[in-house]
Amino acid sequence: ASAIDDDAYLLHVYRYIHLNPERYLEWEFSSLPYYLSNKRASWIKPEQILEMFAGDNYSFFLKDYLSHQSILKDLKHQLADT
């Protein structure tokens, strides 16, 4: 457990949770469809997170990290090989 004390960390935690399953777009237990589409449930409230994007798309936010993640993985392997 760790305290979430700023918005950047909060967004990172949400992104981590939503990207955690390898096939995150198809995972049936994910809340991600509630963030990406009009799917609704009374106990899931994505508005607070989605409001933080001010016109930017949450889906782009997730996909953008996937490319960064790939770059970081490559760097990790390059550093380990030196």
Side-chain angles (χ1 to χ4, degrees), residues 28-41:
E28 66 179 303
F29 303 107
S30 176
S31 63
L32 187 57
Y34 298 88
Y35 289 79
L36 298 180
S37 67
N38 291 329
K39 192 170 183 179
R40 299 284 177 238

Side-chain angles (χ1 to χ4, degrees), residues 59-76:
S59 178
F60 177 76
F61 172 70
L62 295 176
K63 290 175 185 174
D64 185 53
Y65 184 72
L66 290 174
S67 65
H68 286 35
Q69 198 174 34
S70 176
I71 292 167
L72 292 173
K73 185 177 179 181
D74 289 344
L75 286 172
K76 178 181 173 182

Side-chain angles (χ1 to χ4, degrees), residues 36-56:
L36 298 180
S37 67
N38 291 329
K39 192 170 183 179
R40 299 284 177 238
S42 61
W43 55 279
I44 298 176
K45 306 194 184 306
E47 297 81 17
Q48 185 176 6
I49 295 300
L50 296 177
E51 287 173 358
M52 299 172 91
F53 286 88
D56 291 336

Side-chain angles (χ1 to χ4, degrees), residues 6-19:
D6 65 33
D7 289 347
Y9 186 47
L10 176 66
L11 292 176
H12 177 73
V13 168
Y14 267 82
R15 180 171 45 204
Y16 174 80
I17 290 168
H18 283 143
L19 294 177

